[in-house]
Amino acid sequence: MSEQRKPASCEGDTSTPQSAVKRKYQHEMSDVCSNDPGNNGRITLEFDDMCTDVIEMVFCEMQLQDLANISDTSTRLRAIAGAVFSRKYAHRLMLLDVFQYMDWNDFEACERERALSEKNDTIARTCDVKIWLKLMRNFGAYIKHVWILSYGCKMNIALLEQVFAYCSDSLETLTLDGYRMLSVRKPLTKLQEFSFHAKRFESPEALELMPNVRTLILGGIPMTMAKSYAKVERIELRVESDEEVQAFISFIRLNRQIKHLSVCIAFNCRPEHNHLIYSSIADNLEQLTKLKLLVCNRTERYAQYRFKTVESFVLATLEGIPHPAYMFQFDNLIKITLSGTAARPPFCMSVAKRNTNVKILKLDYLHYLLLDADVFRDFVKELTELEQFIVPRINEKNKSTLMNHLGSDWEQFEKETCNFKISRRRLYRFRKIVSKTCA
């Protein structure tokens, strides 16, 4: 390919349009495809005989599976397919779903898929292991984002070895479901995010070959994880035993630069563990801006913990397990998210009274007590700086009830809201309800 010739257009490209490329090289195709008198009028053109721009134009219209298959046919077509892949798929998340595990009933997995899809524009998904191996072998140098969903698959180690063998110099994010062991033989210098969704992570030494990782999402805490990771800023962990609590505290003390922290306190944790976890966070993380607590056990010691730098706080508790809001105090809180028991009155109302400067409030659903017009007005009126009110799981019935109870105030409420929709998987943002509506 000469330096002056532009590549054929792919989805998202701004280079030469396909129609222009087709007109430019139509005479070449006509000459090559013309009847040869010595060949009894049969066409002698083969696909590999066409010019590179025309082949690229064809490749741009191919699905990922077809592109992977044709890249194995010849060295020239592999090079052309690689150029097309780098423009069309390099920014996307490569998802291998061996058993098509993920479906709309798996809410947690779907939420991860949605979040990654928003982050990486879209997901390129395959369920064929053979196609996956071809993608790694032929296009590994261009692949930046990888997610493997392979619960129970006997080929787990082989699949991951292909990723490390061909993508180690380009990999930026890696998400694994269904693994326990992780053998890394070469430093992953560009890796920024590592997610390991499994109950146990038995290869903490692999983290030492991720020198620039900034996000660690682990299903459990390795006992030998109490080390300093200078560039780690975001941590998501699950704590469920005495040993893990101690490992967590040691890890926090050695990594005080953490800015985003998510901790799941498992059901089998003893109640006194909560105090150790909360106090270690409040005492050591002086740069923390986002804190998420998923509490699955009962808290018996109701001490107070002040988080001076936290701007976004998430508290999710199991239904039926009380978790008093006065335990957590903030100096700079802007957004608060409550789920489970914490989202029910009187807990959510107590949070509103103690954090009147909150600008964004998210409840997992609208409790029936808040459908009362007077209660709703009083609740919102406490939040004098409120700009967004988010309810992910509101339904038509609750919406109608709220409309009827607010009466004439509903028109003003609806006027001041921007994206009020009924859907299972979207967030609903309500802009600030003006004071005259709350009167």
Side-chain angles (χ1 to χ4, degrees):
M1 183 184 297
S2 62
E3 295 180 357
Q4 297 179 353
R5 181 175 53 77
K6 296 181 179 180
S9 175
C10 287
E11 180 183 353
D13 291 347
T14 57
S15 54
T16 309
Q18 295 183 14
S19 58
V21 174
K22 184 176 181 180
R23 290 195 302 270
K24 181 178 179 181
Y25 292 97
Q26 188 171 11
H27 65 281
E28 290 188 21
M29 297 177 64
S30 300
D31 291 342
V32 179
C33 294
S34 61
N35 294 340
D36 184 356
N39 199 27
N40 297 324
R42 290 180 297 176
I43 298 176
T44 59
L45 175 68
E46 294 184 0
F47 185 79
D48 202 13
D49 295 328
M50 291 190 294
C51 63
T52 300
D53 275 345
V54 175
I55 295 178
E56 285 189 359
M57 185 174 64
V58 175
F59 283 4
C60 284
E61 299 300 319
M62 285 185 173
Q63 298 296 323
L64 182 64
Q65 178 174 338
D66 297 327
L67 193 65
N69 285 328
I70 204 167
S71 66
D72 261 0
T73 56
S74 71
T75 302
R76 178 175 179 243
L77 293 184
R78 182 183 301 117
I80 299 174
V84 172
F85 183 92
S86 67
R87 297 196 301 273
K88 191 175 181 180
Y89 293 102
H91 65 287
R92 301 187 183 185
L93 174 67
M94 295 291 113
L95 169 59
L96 173 65
D97 187 359
V98 176
F99 293 100
Q100 302 184 42
Y101 166 78
M102 191 168 7
D103 55 48
W104 289 110
N105 293 322
D106 189 334
F107 185 76
E108 182 180 356
C110 290
E111 283 297 297
R112 294 205 304 271
E113 183 180 22
R114 179 191 60 78
L116 288 169
S117 179
E118 291 178 355
K119 181 178 180 180
N120 298 311
D121 296 333
T122 188
I123 291 178
R125 180 174 179 176
T126 180
C127 303
D128 191 330
V129 173
K130 293 182 179 179
I131 295 299
W132 176 264
L133 297 178
K134 290 180 181 180
L135 291 173
M136 296 300 109
R137 182 174 64 249
N138 297 331
F139 307 132
Y142 310 109
I143 295 176
K144 300 179 181 179
H145 313 286
V146 169
W147 183 3
I148 302 180
L149 263 170
S150 56
Y151 285 88
C153 180
K154 296 180 180 180
M155 296 183 63
N156 273 359
I157 302 300
L159 294 173
L160 195 55
E161 285 180 351
Q162 295 292 315
V163 175
F164 292 148
Y166 297 104
C167 309
S168 58
D169 294 331
S170 59
L171 201 60
E172 295 181 6
T173 64
L174 176 62
T175 303
L176 301 176
D177 289 78
Y179 284 80
R180 294 188 67 181
M181 299 296 295
L182 185 65
S183 178
V184 183
R185 301 177 182 178
K186 182 180 178 181
L188 305 174
T189 56
K190 290 188 177 181
L191 191 67
Q192 298 288 314
E193 179 177 323
F194 176 57
S195 303
F196 192 89
H197 298 284
K199 191 172 182 179
R200 298 294 183 197
F201 178 53
E202 299 179 355
S203 304
E205 67 279 356
L207 299 178
E208 298 181 7
L209 294 179
M210 305 175 187
N212 297 312
V213 67
R214 296 183 179 275
T215 299
L216 281 177
I217 303 175
L218 303 177
I221 303 178
M223 298 303 100
T224 58
M225 194 178 170
K227 298 180 181 179
S228 175
Y229 300 91
K231 296 187 177 182
V232 171
E233 296 180 351
R234 178 188 171 196
I235 293 289
E236 294 187 20
L237 299 170
R238 177 182 176 88
V239 182
E240 57 180 35
S241 67
D242 293 351
E243 294 79 8
E244 289 187 356
V245 170
Q246 296 303 320
F248 172 81
I249 295 174
S250 299
F251 178 81
I252 292 298
R253 290 174 177 173
L254 293 172
N255 295 272
R256 301 192 177 192
Q257 78 284 356
I258 295 174
K259 296 180 180 179
H260 302 171
L261 176 64
S262 175
V263 182
C264 176
I265 305 176
F267 178 80
N268 53 342
C269 276
R270 291 186 294 172
E272 55 266 28
H273 289 162
N274 297 52
H275 169 69
L276 295 175
I277 292 173
Y278 301 153
S279 59
S280 64
I281 296 173
D283 296 340
N284 293 285
L285 301 185
E286 299 179 352
Q287 300 182 43
L288 189 66
T289 58
K290 293 184 179 181
L291 174 61
K292 181 177 182 180
L293 298 175
L294 287 80
V295 185
C296 303
N297 67 341
R298 184 178 298 274
T299 300
E300 294 183 352
R301 180 175 178 177
Y302 296 143
Q304 292 188 355
Y305 311 93
R306 179 171 294 277
F307 305 101
K308 299 179 180 180
T309 58
V310 171
E311 298 176 358
S312 176
F313 177 60
V314 178
L315 177 61
T317 58
L318 290 183
E319 294 290 343
I321 298 181
H323 214 84
Y326 65 78
M327 293 175 59
F328 308 107
Q329 300 180 2
F330 308 90
D331 293 343
N332 296 289
L333 193 63
I334 297 176
K335 177 181 179 180
I336 188 165
T337 302
L338 302 175
S339 179
T341 303
R344 293 174 174 266
F347 298 110
C348 64
M349 306 180 82
S350 175
V351 171
K353 292 179 180 179
R354 299 185 65 87
N355 300 278
T356 57
N357 293 326
V358 168
K359 295 183 179 180
I360 304 173
L361 173 63
K362 176 182 175 182
L363 304 179
D364 60 345
Y365 70 100
L366 201 61
H367 194 267
Y368 71 93
L369 291 178
L370 292 179
L371 297 178
D372 180 86
D374 293 333
V375 175
F376 183 80
R377 289 191 184 96
D378 293 341
F379 173 60
V380 176
K381 193 173 182 180
E382 292 286 346
L383 303 172
T384 57
E385 301 296 325
L386 187 65
E387 296 179 359
Q388 293 182 346
F389 184 38
I390 305 171
V391 183
R393 294 193 291 167
I394 197 169
N395 54 41
E396 286 284 2
K397 181 180 179 180
N398 286 350
K399 176 187 175 183
S400 299
T401 301
L402 189 59
M403 289 175 62
N404 295 333
H405 287 180
L406 287 177
S408 60
D409 290 340
W410 173 256
E411 294 183 2
Q412 182 64 32
F413 176 78
E414 190 176 34
K415 180 179 179 181
E416 293 297 322
T417 62
C418 51
N419 291 317
F420 185 81
K421 298 179 181 179
I422 305 299
S423 175
R424 284 187 61 197
R425 303 185 178 282
R426 291 191 179 183
L427 303 182
Y428 315 96
R429 292 181 169 86
F430 303 86
R431 300 188 62 182
K432 183 178 179 181
I433 302 177
V434 294
S435 57
K436 62 179 180 180
T437 305
C438 298

